[in-house]
């Protein structure tokens, strides 16, 4: 699901006629397709401009959830970190009708799992655009929430070279954003810091330019673990759904990949462990994937689990490159003290009997083992992100 659907819904399939049945002709007679598209975009601006993301909140150090840590006879300590990424298809009317009930079910499902102690420790949400989507995220009850770029936030990075071809205003390339990034990180543990940045103005193509897509990085305090854990969330430029030429949307995606790499290099402490997840929009695109991997050296969970039988795969993977069958990916890197290792992957909200399908994406859940030498002391306190 992309912003494209908004424009398709707002543009009437045929001219609208007067209600009194006279022969005056269509109300929109004389308006070009360009004018009608711009009118639709103006209407969308009125619908989306007042919708924000959840306010920041964090569990206090004193009330932080405990985590089970085991120590081997050799002195190695281990615990787990359970991370879900989920594009919740949170666009509002007129793109979808009836989404509120399913979005509410997402929040209620995660809340029930939390009450039973079965929920992921951390959830990375994408497409939290509508009021119902934002309520769903808040209603999960996670004590810590941090949001990505707002609708109006400007990128810290300079605009890149122009993309191939001409700008297409009627395809959403207006030079300003109508929606937020839709990014949220929810955590059962304290969030001690957050940095966010949208992709630059020229690092987008087509209807994707209507939302302020970007990246966010939260540092999470897992009690007893000797290092903070970096958790990054992103949503990158679509392909066909952008409705512009392949060369143009590919160039935008590659520009975003470079900005993502620069962001992480500038804002993430390389000595700390890092998990990066999100909707990367690289499904069935070896070209996009190859360019992204060239710019991003992090290990890919799919590749690791395909090559390491100790990582339990509880979902269907087809072919030799299952990472090209999905938009939703997780990457990881160890820190100077804490090693990060995927030990299990599974789908959530995938239509199985115990996990109903509530979005056009499945959730992708990874359980990581965090391990460190017994010489590494657990952190006693945590700071406030403010």
């Amino acid at each position: 699901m992309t912003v494209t659907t908004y424009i398709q819904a707002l543009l009437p399939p045929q001219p609208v006629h007067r209600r009194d049945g006279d022969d005056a002709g269509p109300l929109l007679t004389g308006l070009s397709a360009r004018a009608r598209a711009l009118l639709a975009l103006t209407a969308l601006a009125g619908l989306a401009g007042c919708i924000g993301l959840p306010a920041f909140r964090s569990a206090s150090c004193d009330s932080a959830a405990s985590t089970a840590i085991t120590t081997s006879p050799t002195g190695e300590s281990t615990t787990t970190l359970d991370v879900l990424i989920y594009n919740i298809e949170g666009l509002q009317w007129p793109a979808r009708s009836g989404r509120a009930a399913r979005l509410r079910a997402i929040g209620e499902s995660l809340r029930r799992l939390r009450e039973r102690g079965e929920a992921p420790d951390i959830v990375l949400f994408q497409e939290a655009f509508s009021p119902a989507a934002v309520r769903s995220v808040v209603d999960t009850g996670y004590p810590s929430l941090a949001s990505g770029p707002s609708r109006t936030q400007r990128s810290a990075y300079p605009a890149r070279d122009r993309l191939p071809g001409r700008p297409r205003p009627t395809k959403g390339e207006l030079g300003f954003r109508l929606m937020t990034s839709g990014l949220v990180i929810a955590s059962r543990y304290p969030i001690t810091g957050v940095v966010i940045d949208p992709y630059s103005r020229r690092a987008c193509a087509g209807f994707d330019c209507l939302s302020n897509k970007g990246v966010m990085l939260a540092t999470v305090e897992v009690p007893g673990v000797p290092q903070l854990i970096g958790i990054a969330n992103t949503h990158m430029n679509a392909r066909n759904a952008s409705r512009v030429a392949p060369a143009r949307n590919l160039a935008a995606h590659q520009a975003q990949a470079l900005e993502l790499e620069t962001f992480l290099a500038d804002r993430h402490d390389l000595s700390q462990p890092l998990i990066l997840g999100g909707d990367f929009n690289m499904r069935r695109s070896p070209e996009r994937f190859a360019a992204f991997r060239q710019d991003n050296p992090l290990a890919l969970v799919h590749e690791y689990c395909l090559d390491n039988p100790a990582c339990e795969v509880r979902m269907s993977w087809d072919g030799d490159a299952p990472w090209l069958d999905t938009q939703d990916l997780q990457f990881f890197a160890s820190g100077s003290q804490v090693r990060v290792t995927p030990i299990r992957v599974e789908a959530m909200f995938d239509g199985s009997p115990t996990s109903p399908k509530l979005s056009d994406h499945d959730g992708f859940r990874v359980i990581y083992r965090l391990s460190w030498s017994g010489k590494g002391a657990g952190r006693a306190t945590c700071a406030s992100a403010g």
Side-chain angles (χ1 to χ4, degrees):
M1 181 67 179
T2 69
V3 179
T4 308
T5 316
Y6 270 113
I7 308 307
Q8 293 172 334
L10 285 166
L11 286 172
Q14 59 186 10
V16 178
H17 292 263
R18 299 185 186 276
R19 293 184 178 180
D20 58 10
D22 64 20
D23 295 325
L27 290 176
L28 297 181
T29 296
L31 289 181
S32 66
R34 175 186 175 89
R36 293 176 65 213
L38 290 175
L39 282 173
L41 292 171
T42 301
L44 177 57
L47 289 170
C50 61
I51 301 171
L53 289 163
F56 175 83
R57 71 188 187 201
S58 179
S60 67
C61 297
D62 293 338
S63 66
S66 61
T67 184
I69 296 176
T70 60
T71 302
S72 71
T74 61
E76 181 181 63
S77 297
T78 62
T79 190
T80 59
L81 187 65
D82 185 341
V83 181
L84 170 70
I85 56 173
Y86 194 20
N87 181 321
I88 59 174
E89 192 185 351
L91 294 176
Q92 64 174 356
W93 182 91
R96 280 288 189 270
S97 60
R99 280 299 298 155
R102 292 190 177 185
L103 288 165
R104 183 167 57 251
I106 290 171
E108 292 172 350
S109 296
L110 287 170
R111 178 182 284 276
R112 287 195 298 270
L113 288 172
R114 290 189 62 251
E115 292 170 350
R116 299 199 301 264
E118 299 172 0
D121 298 318
I122 297 172
V123 185
L124 279 60
F125 293 100
Q126 300 87 44
E127 287 196 8
F129 291 128
S130 71
V134 172
R135 283 195 300 271
S136 172
V137 170
V138 173
D139 288 348
T140 61
Y142 278 89
S144 301
L145 291 178
S147 296
S150 67
R151 182 180 67 85
T152 58
Q153 183 180 348
R154 291 276 188 167
S155 175
Y157 300 106
R160 296 188 171 273
D161 295 337
R162 294 184 182 277
L163 301 177
R166 294 189 303 173
R168 302 291 301 277
T170 58
K171 301 295 185 180
E173 297 178 358
L174 302 175
F176 57 89
R177 308 295 187 245
L178 300 185
M179 290 184 287
T180 71
S181 63
L183 300 176
V184 184
I185 293 175
S187 172
R188 68 188 290 248
Y189 300 124
I191 293 176
T192 66
V194 184
V195 287
I196 57 179
D197 196 40
Y199 294 124
S200 64
R201 295 292 170 172
R202 290 180 182 168
C204 73
F207 287 118
D208 276 47
C209 295
L210 296 176
S211 63
N212 206 19
K213 288 187 172 181
V215 59
M216 61 179 301
L217 171 66
T219 48
V220 174
E221 174 94 25
V222 181
V225 176
Q227 287 189 288
L228 296 170
I229 311 297
I231 305 292
N233 186 12
T234 192
H235 190 180
M236 299 182 69
N237 208 98
R239 294 178 62 207
N240 296 336
S242 68
R243 296 297 191 268
V244 293
R248 190 169 179 83
N249 67 54
L250 174 62
H253 192 277
Q254 292 174 339
Q256 290 180 355
L258 287 170
E259 291 185 7
L260 174 60
E261 180 192 25
T262 302
F263 173 88
L264 293 176
D266 289 348
R267 311 308 290 270
H268 173 65
D269 182 348
L270 293 179
S271 70
Q272 293 178 351
L274 175 65
I275 294 169
L276 165 66
D279 180 345
F280 291 88
N281 273 310
M282 297 190 292
R283 183 175 57 186
R284 301 191 186 98
S285 179
E287 188 174 15
R288 282 188 172 208
F289 183 81
F292 182 90
R293 291 310 303 274
Q294 180 179 349
D295 296 328
N296 197 308
L298 299 176
L300 174 63
V301 168
H302 280 72
E303 287 182 326
Y304 179 88
C305 292
L306 196 65
D307 295 337
N308 291 272
C311 178
E312 182 183 4
V313 178
R314 295 186 180 179
M315 55 192 299
S316 176
W317 281 359
D318 299 323
D320 297 330
W323 49 88
L324 291 179
D325 295 330
T326 180
Q327 313 284 29
D328 310 300
L329 301 170
Q330 293 195 38
F331 299 81
F332 66 99
S334 297
S336 59
Q337 298 182 57
V338 177
R339 295 178 296 282
V340 180
T341 308
I343 58 173
R344 192 173 85 224
V345 297
E346 60 188 47
M348 287 185 68
F349 302 109
D350 60 339
S352 62
T354 59
S355 195
K357 191 170 182 65
L358 299 172
S359 169
D360 57 355
H361 287 242
D362 297 345
F364 180 48
R365 185 177 190 176
V366 181
I367 291 81
Y368 297 91
R369 177 189 294 118
L370 307 181
S371 56
W372 61 95
S373 168
K375 293 182 292 186
R379 294 175 62 86
T381 60
C382 60
S384 173

